[in-house]
């Protein structure tokens, strides 16, 4: 059986349901701009940086703005998002995540967080799971966002584990592309359609157990 060398987690939509808060915050902004925004369009924004997401929404609505106006809108979306995440407590860990993190710790498998969110650190602190993560890749220090492999490769490097021994867990199409481009095994949380390129697709994080993962990873 192949040994799992490390497990690298995305945050929003995998560990906690902040993907829903990003969706609500973008939807409010898009509606204020008069741009049609639905869940299908939102799928394309998952895993994508704040500024790139804003560019996609503006392109979608055929709106052209100055850099200053765009910075203001990105700030506004983030303020809205921050009001949502203030309420986060350990109860907001998605079902199955805490038992899975405990199993990983017991098996002494190194772990990392690879999130494109500049709000990742406060969210992890509020969820009280810092001790389960050996390293966090700081989104601010990554040059190329998902789907570029940089963030997952950096996480593997910080753990000193080669990419071919790493498992990445994602809920975003851009995230699965990033994991695969890094040469890692991808677990996709979500619909078969959105997660089509993942090696193992699960509908919900509660299906994450080491036994099930090892069974698929082989
Ligand atoms: C994650 C989320 C995206 C979000 C990005 C930036 O990748 O999946 O939806 O746009 O982080 O988040 P931030 O908190 O920095 O705006
Ligand atoms: Mg995500």
């Amino acid at each position: 059986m192949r040994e799992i060398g490390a497990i690298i987690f995305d945050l929003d939509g995998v560990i906690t349901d902040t993907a829903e808060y990003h969706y609500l915050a973008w939807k409010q902004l898009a509606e204020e701009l008069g741009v049609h925004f639905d869940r299908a369009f939102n799928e394309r924004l998952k895993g994508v940086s704040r500024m790139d997401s804003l560019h996609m929404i503006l392109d979608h609505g055929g709106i052209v703005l100055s850099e200053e106006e765009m910075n203001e809108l990105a700030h506004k979306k983030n303020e809205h998002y921050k009001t949502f995440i203030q309420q986060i407590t350990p109860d907001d860990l998605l079902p199955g995540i805490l038992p899975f993190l405990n199993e990983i710790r017991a098996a002494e498998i190194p772990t990392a967080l690879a999130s494109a969110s500049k709000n990742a650190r406060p969210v992890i602190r509020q969820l009280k799971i810092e001790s389960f993560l050996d390293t966090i890749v700081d989104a601010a220090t990554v040059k190329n966002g998902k789907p570029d492999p940089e963030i997952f490769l950096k996480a593997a490097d910080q753990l000193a584990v080669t990419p071919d021994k790493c498992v990445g867990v994602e809920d975003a199409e851009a995230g699965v592309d990033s994991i695969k481009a890094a040469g890692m095994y991808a677990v996709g949380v979500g619909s078969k359609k959105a997660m089509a390129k993942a090696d193992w697709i699960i509908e919900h994080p509660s299906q994450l157990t080491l036994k099930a993962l090892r069974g698929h990873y082989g």
Side-chain angles (χ1 to χ4, degrees):
M1 202 161 91
R2 273 205 302 162
E3 283 268 323
I4 296 171
I7 303 181
I8 307 172
F9 289 91
D10 170 50
L11 172 64
D12 301 318
V14 170
I15 289 180
T16 186
D17 207 9
T18 35
E20 184 66 13
Y21 298 153
H22 282 294
Y23 164 71
L24 293 171
W26 282 128
K27 189 172 167 62
Q28 175 159 334
L29 192 85
E31 278 168 2
E32 281 168 25
L33 292 166
V35 176
H36 176 72
F37 191 87
D38 58 17
R39 286 186 185 271
F41 185 77
N42 184 64
E43 276 305 312
R44 292 165 50 194
L45 303 185
K46 285 187 181 171
V48 175
S49 76
R50 195 181 309 161
M51 224 39 195
D52 287 348
S53 300
L54 178 62
H55 281 138
M56 286 167 74
I57 291 169
L58 294 175
D59 280 353
H60 184 59
I63 298 173
V64 179
L65 296 175
S66 69
E67 193 149 334
E68 199 187 326
E69 288 167 320
M70 286 195 288
N71 286 337
E72 263 171 41
L73 288 180
H75 178 74
K76 195 169 173 188
K77 183 267 174 179
N78 195 46
E79 288 301 304
H80 195 46
Y81 180 70
K82 284 199 304 193
T83 60
F84 284 126
I85 62 171
Q86 265 170 22
Q87 322 294 329
I88 290 178
T89 71
D91 286 343
D92 293 301
L93 284 166
L94 282 168
I97 288 294
L98 195 58
F100 187 50
L101 289 172
N102 273 307
E103 264 196 299
I104 297 171
R105 266 289 172 258
E108 296 180 3
I109 298 171
T111 54
L113 189 80
S115 169
S117 173
K118 293 186 175 148
N119 294 292
R121 284 174 194 269
V123 170
I124 288 298
R125 229 177 287 130
Q126 280 170 246
L127 291 169
K128 298 203 187 310
I129 55 165
E130 301 106 305
S131 64
F132 289 101
L133 297 164
D134 297 310
T135 190
I136 293 177
V137 181
D138 197 333
T141 66
V142 175
K143 276 198 221 90
N144 306 298
K146 300 170 188 177
D148 189 279
E150 185 181 349
I151 191 162
F152 280 94
L153 289 175
K154 197 167 175 192
D157 187 56
Q158 286 178 195
L159 293 173
V161 176
T162 55
D164 61 315
K165 294 197 173 61
C166 293
V167 171
V169 190
E170 264 288 353
D171 71 318
E173 288 184 43
V176 170
D177 287 345
S178 174
I179 296 171
K180 293 313 297 170
M184 300 179 182
Y185 183 91
V187 179
V189 183
S191 70
K192 287 208 170 77
K193 186 169 173 272
M195 296 294 101
K197 290 187 222 155
D199 297 296
W200 178 35
I201 303 170
I202 54 174
E203 273 170 39
H204 196 271
S206 59
Q207 290 161 264
L208 282 169
T209 62
L210 264 187
K211 191 170 175 233
L213 175 59
R214 283 181 172 137
H216 284 85
Y217 183 76

